[in-house]
Amino acid sequence: MPLEFAQRIRRIPAYPLASGYDLGADVAMLASNESCFAPLPEVADAATRVLAATHRYPDPSYSALRRALAERYGLPAARIALGNGSCDILLAAGEALLEPEAEVVYAWPAFSVYPHLAAASGARAIEVPLDSDDRHDLEAMLTEVTVATRLVLICNPNNPTSTSVELERVASFLDEVPAHVCVILDEAYCEFSLALGDPFASLELLRRHPNLVLLRTFSKVYGLAGLRAGYALCGSDDFRVAVDQVRQPFYLNVAAQAAAVEALRYQDEVERRVGKTIAERISLQEELRRLGLWVAKSDANFVWLRLPEGVVEGDVVSGLADRGVLVRAGSKLGREGSLRVTVGTAKENEKFLAALAELLG
Ligand SMILES: Cc1ncc(COP(=O)(O)O)c(C=O)c1O
């Protein structure tokens, strides 16, 4: 007899897992929007140092990290939620806010985890198509907010399309959303955005909207994807209390906590890396346009391109993999015929461009 699982298991879409993590150092890993920069030695040392005391559980209040984030962003520590990656906070938000009869509104294509929230809770997913520039259509999203809406997700800059919407437009959207609806502004890539200004710009919105949550991560700009640490800056304490209520007590391990605290101390280096990534992004986009491809206006550490009519996406993705370059197929992210490519080192980007040019003839 097979095991009998809960009905909802059948509804939950499988996350499009990246492959290639066992292929060795020569492969250009451009499929998961990770940082191409390794953590600073000081950050790696901080994570290593705490390993000697791992017979103890992690500090369940995460005091040091909460304090460091509170100081950086000028918010009370009680309004900072932490997670085993920001995905952990996202899933906890789904559990805390959604249930059958409730609705969650998000743009599509957007981050692949969003559909999971509705499927896992039995809530209705309202997916609003992006506009013709592959940006969030906030006006259309607003028309979908009803009495049943509990959660709105705005991915800014958006994964997978790399585009962003101006904060003024987000501000106008928030002015119209009823105060009992939680709005998560998923800013996993905000540090790479020129349009949004700096990572402090959206904090002004928090002061005006207690229903707003800014979701951030150490996985991208801080280069700590392998340790899993994310955080949320919340407009009120309620969100943090609720997401903590639905999770296990020790969700953030000691190494992740120590590395994240240390990583926050090197903002000059973070900015230098962002500068390098943006420079590479600009030249990558230019080269792709020179190949005659449509490329979205990227505001993140990845680019989103459309393959020419008649070119089979799967052939390009596997052709690139054969040439040692891993990218993400658009069909796995909600848009057949597109590719999402992380900005890598100059060498990796050149390798990708050469392989793509060869495949497109
Ligand atoms: C838009 C967006 N949000 C959240 C995440 C989750 O990041 P993590 O769980 O590593 O913090 C990702 C990861 O790729 C993402 O693209």
Side-chain angles (χ1 to χ4, degrees), residues 85-87 111 155 159 186 188-189 217 219-220 228:
S86 58
C87 244
F111 184 36
C155 193
N159 176 11
D186 185 345
Y189 304 97
T217 182
S219 297
K220 311 295 176 183
R228 315 297 297 119

Side-chain angles (χ1 to χ4, degrees), residues 188-236:
Y189 304 97
C190 68
E191 293 89 351
F192 300 103
S193 168
L194 293 175
L196 302 180
D198 64 44
F200 295 93
S202 49
L203 282 154
E204 176 54 30
L205 299 176
L206 270 192
R207 280 183 257 286
R208 283 191 278 133
H209 299 282
N211 57 333
L212 179 63
V213 173
L214 307 178
L215 190 66
R216 307 260 176 111
T217 182
F218 285 94
S219 297
K220 311 295 176 183
V221 81
Y222 292 103
L224 294 176
L227 278 176
R228 315 297 297 119
Y231 61 100
L233 309 174
C234 312
S236 69

Side-chain angles (χ1 to χ4, degrees), residues 47-65:
T48 312
R49 268 196 307 274
V50 293
L51 296 182
T54 46
H55 57 303
R56 302 284 178 211
Y57 281 110
D59 166 9
S61 307
Y62 315 106
S63 328
L65 181 53

Side-chain angles (χ1 to χ4, degrees), residues 14-29:
Y15 181 77
L17 292 176
S19 57
Y21 281 80
D22 53 350
L23 291 180
D26 279 349
V27 174
M29 306 279 280

Side-chain angles (χ1 to χ4, degrees), residues 43-114:
V43 175
D45 284 350
T48 312
R49 268 196 307 274
V50 293
L51 296 182
T54 46
H55 57 303
R56 302 284 178 211
Y57 281 110
D59 166 9
S61 307
Y62 315 106
S63 328
L65 181 53
R66 223 184 272 284
R67 202 166 42 242
L69 286 165
E71 275 167 21
R72 174 164 167 77
Y73 292 108
L75 280 182
R79 280 171 45 193
I80 294 171
L82 298 171
N84 181 28
S86 58
C87 244
D88 183 36
I89 303 174
L90 205 49
L91 294 175
E95 204 175 332
L97 289 157
L98 301 176
E99 57 196 342
E101 311 295 318
E103 292 178 356
V104 50
V105 178
Y106 53 87
W108 196 252
F111 184 36
S112 355
V113 166
Y114 299 166

